[in-house]
Amino acid sequence: MTVAHTDVAAYSLGLLSEEDRQEFEAHLADCEACAAELGEFAAMADLFAGLDPVEVTNPEPDPTAIADLLSRRVAADRRRNRQRGWLAAAACLVLLAAGVVAGVTAAPHRTLVTSEVRLSGVRHTATNPATGITGTVGLVSHPWGTEAVLKLGHVRGPLKCELIAVSKTGLRRVMVGWLVPAVGYGVPGHPGDLLIEGGTWIKSSQLSSIEIQVLDGPTLLTIPV
């Protein structure tokens, strides 16, 4: 395999062969552009986890051809309309959060998840003494950057929130966004904490904190890392 920058999408969705995957991960170690782009894809990849395959009557396409086509399409779309793509991604996250919240409302003791989320990695915890909001974030290092899983409690809505990675140089990157319903999480009547994951191309060793911030509003909680 000849490593190309357009292989980022195929790697993110697991379409590369084992040999190509290892070669691409070696490429990531020295390519900041690919690492940054992969961090953006990583936050969206889990949205497709758990979707059942569609049955078709035609023969199964060649996976290599699919990966190549997907990579070229993504690269072209990003060049043509990067901003529009981000707006669409944000809309998907909002719709996903709203749909999951609707399902959890009927069973308030369940923990909210975007997929099979588990709190793992190096954990950091903080509490806002003024509001009582508590949060624990688990950080896992990857060749493409950092995966974060957030557990959030003692928060009421309705709120539109973002999980933000803050680097030691002051760089800020949104890892994931979601909706907090009026009933909230980790509160009387709705005791289940929120569990949600995101990602950033910023390396874990370069992070200074993780923030939970209201969209166009105040910071609910800062978790030093």
Side-chain angles (χ1 to χ4, degrees):
M1 168 188 175
T2 299
V3 174
H5 296 289
T6 53
D7 291 319
V8 174
Y11 175 81
S12 177
L13 295 178
L15 297 177
L16 296 180
S17 67
E18 179 63 21
E19 180 180 355
D20 289 349
R21 182 187 65 79
Q22 293 178 2
E23 186 173 349
F24 188 77
E25 287 183 350
H27 169 74
L28 280 177
D30 299 316
C31 182
E32 295 183 1
C34 283
E37 186 173 348
L38 185 58
E40 296 169 359
F41 277 111
M44 297 299 298
D46 285 331
L47 296 180
F48 300 96
L51 290 178
D52 295 329
V54 178
E55 294 184 1
V56 295
T57 57
N58 296 328
E60 183 177 356
D62 180 5
T64 303
I66 295 176
D68 182 65
L69 178 61
L70 178 61
S71 298
R72 294 176 183 274
R73 177 64 182 273
V74 170
D77 287 348
R78 286 174 61 81
R79 287 194 301 269
R80 184 168 57 249
N81 205 336
R82 179 184 178 90
Q83 182 177 8
R84 186 176 181 179
W86 270 112
L87 290 175
C92 287
L93 287 173
V94 170
L95 290 174
L96 174 67
V100 175
V101 167
V104 173
T105 301
H109 292 276
R110 292 181 58 190
T111 300
L112 173 66
V113 297
T114 56
S115 60
E116 292 300 321
V117 177
R118 296 290 183 271
L119 188 61
S120 59
V122 181
R123 302 184 185 186
H124 306 272
T125 301
T127 301
N128 185 328
T131 63
I133 294 175
T134 62
T136 297
V137 64
L139 302 178
V140 180
S141 296
H142 292 283
W144 50 260
T146 305
E147 174 189 0
V149 176
L150 172 69
K151 181 179 181 181
L152 188 67
H154 299 285
V155 60
R156 291 188 181 275
L159 298 171
K160 297 178 181 179
C161 296
E162 294 178 331
L163 186 66
I164 299 177
V166 183
S167 75
K168 294 178 180 178
T169 60
L171 185 67
R172 301 171 64 85
R173 287 292 181 268
V174 176
M175 305 178 83
V176 68
W178 69 94
L179 296 175
V180 176
V183 292
Y185 298 103
V187 294
H190 198 253
D193 289 340
L194 174 135
L195 269 176
I196 194 166
E197 67 179 346
T200 177
W201 58 266
I202 303 175
K203 299 292 186 181
S204 59
S205 60
Q206 299 172 350
L207 291 172
S208 65
S209 65
I210 300 295
E211 294 183 359
I212 297 90
Q213 184 171 349
V214 176
L215 185 64
D216 299 323
T219 298
L220 296 179
L221 184 65
T222 298
I223 305 176
V225 300

